[in-house]
Amino acid sequence: MFELFHYGFIVRAFIAGIIVAITAPLIGTFLVAKRHAMFADTLAHVSLAGITLGIVIGVNPVLTALLVAVVSALLIEELRRKNLSGETALSLFLSGGLALAVVLIGFKRGFNVDIFSYLFGSIATVSESDLFIIGILGIVTVLTVKMLYKELLYTVFNEEMARVSGMSTHMLNFVLTTLTAVVVVASIRIVGVLLIGALMVIPVVTASLISKSFKQTLLLSVVLSLCVVITGLFASYYFNVPAGGSIVLLALGVFGLVSINKKGSW
């Protein structure tokens, strides 16, 4: 069963997968609590434009996706700060990012294997440079959340009170949106652009059904995410299916089982 780990690309995929499994629900827990679950999907579609830009100009697509996603995240937060509704800002960037990606894909004369792997994830395409970037982004995400955990938590649940108490809620919101962009880009190779939002939300929602506190939800969502990501990567290898689809279907299956059990306990 474990003979697959003789292949370098499999080892890289599993290391990247574990990093993604930890960071995605780590940020997703804050987004769900803040009722910004669609933010990840928006940045994923925007990052697709960055990916296609990188492919067109011959630069590592993960780097161009990171640049585009972070800039877009900061612009979205700035628009929201200027009283543009969150849903409107997300809609503008989601449709604009997708439109730009389509135009850039046209320069490559349609979809190719590279773009397809970014859309749905692929364990065979995680290169050493990708793994290095994903690792750095993962470390930055975990350390930032650890350092600013209390401030981010306070901002999520009572932003007005946090502002009154002297916290820079504007800066904290920028940090959270930037971290979301970082996690989205780090997850693309494993889960894919079209499904990363689901990985950031489904384990969190599942954990919230059986957890009694924010911290419990965060920790349990990471455990659930690790389980579905690792199992999904095995399924992707042995059944030759996209990694992202396998991971998200497993996450949905766990959510369904927990929901049924929770309903039965009522």
Side-chain angles (χ1 to χ4, degrees):
M1 178 180 179
F2 297 103
E3 71 278 0
L4 73 167
F5 291 108
H6 291 299
Y7 301 102
F9 73 92
I10 293 293
V11 174
R12 291 193 297 271
F14 271 80
I15 294 174
I18 289 171
I19 295 171
V20 168
I22 294 171
T23 55
L26 184 64
I27 300 301
T29 306
F30 289 96
L31 294 180
V32 171
K34 204 174 175 66
R35 298 184 178 180
H36 289 168
M38 289 301 297
F39 193 61
D41 273 327
T42 298
L43 291 183
H45 284 77
V46 168
S47 66
L48 179 59
I51 289 168
T52 52
L53 175 63
I55 293 175
V56 168
I57 65 177
V59 176
N60 188 321
V62 176
L63 293 176
T64 51
L66 179 62
L67 175 63
V68 172
V70 169
V71 171
S72 298
L74 297 178
L75 289 175
I76 291 171
E77 184 58 34
E78 186 64 23
L79 288 174
R80 288 173 51 197
R81 194 175 71 88
K82 293 181 177 179
N83 297 322
L84 183 67
S85 71
E87 289 185 0
T88 302
L90 293 179
S91 178
L92 287 172
F93 276 81
L94 190 151
S95 56
L98 191 57
L100 179 58
V102 170
V103 171
L104 291 173
I105 287 171
F107 285 107
K108 293 295 290 185
R109 298 189 178 181
F111 288 90
N112 59 27
V113 175
D114 288 335
I115 295 175
F116 187 85
S117 68
Y118 284 108
L119 287 174
F120 303 105
S122 173
I123 62 174
T125 55
V126 181
S127 65
E128 291 184 1
S129 61
D130 289 335
L131 183 58
F132 177 76
I133 295 171
I134 292 169
I136 294 297
L137 296 180
I139 291 171
V140 169
T141 300
V142 172
L143 290 179
T144 303
V145 171
K146 183 178 181 180
M147 289 188 296
L148 298 176
Y149 177 79
K150 291 182 179 179
E151 291 83 355
L152 290 172
L153 185 62
Y154 203 4
T155 303
V156 164
F157 285 104
N158 199 332
E159 186 169 344
E160 188 62 33
M161 186 62 71
R163 186 181 297 110
V164 171
S165 65
M167 292 184 186
S168 178
T169 55
H170 177 53
M171 183 58 64
L172 289 169
N173 284 328
F174 271 128
V175 170
L176 183 58
T177 54
T178 301
L179 288 178
T180 304
V182 166
V183 171
V184 165
V185 173
S187 307
I188 286 173
R189 272 302 198 187
I190 298 297
V191 188
V193 166
L194 300 183
L195 299 171
I196 177 54
L199 183 62
M200 295 182 74
V201 172
I202 297 173
V204 177
V205 175
T206 305
S208 67
L209 294 176
I210 51 180
S211 300
K212 297 181 180 180
S213 68
F214 182 86
K215 181 171 286 188
Q216 282 185 4
T217 299
L218 190 153
L219 294 175
L220 183 56
S221 66
V222 170
V223 173
L224 292 173
S225 179
L226 282 167
C227 291
V228 298
V229 168
I230 292 173
T231 305
L233 290 176
F234 274 110
S236 176
Y237 176 80
Y238 284 108
F239 297 104
N240 194 27
V241 293
S246 302
I247 292 167
V248 173
L249 284 177
L250 285 166
L252 284 170
V254 174
F255 171 76
L257 291 174
V258 172
S259 298
I260 293 171
N261 184 64
K262 184 72 174 178
K263 185 175 181 180
S265 66
W266 292 344

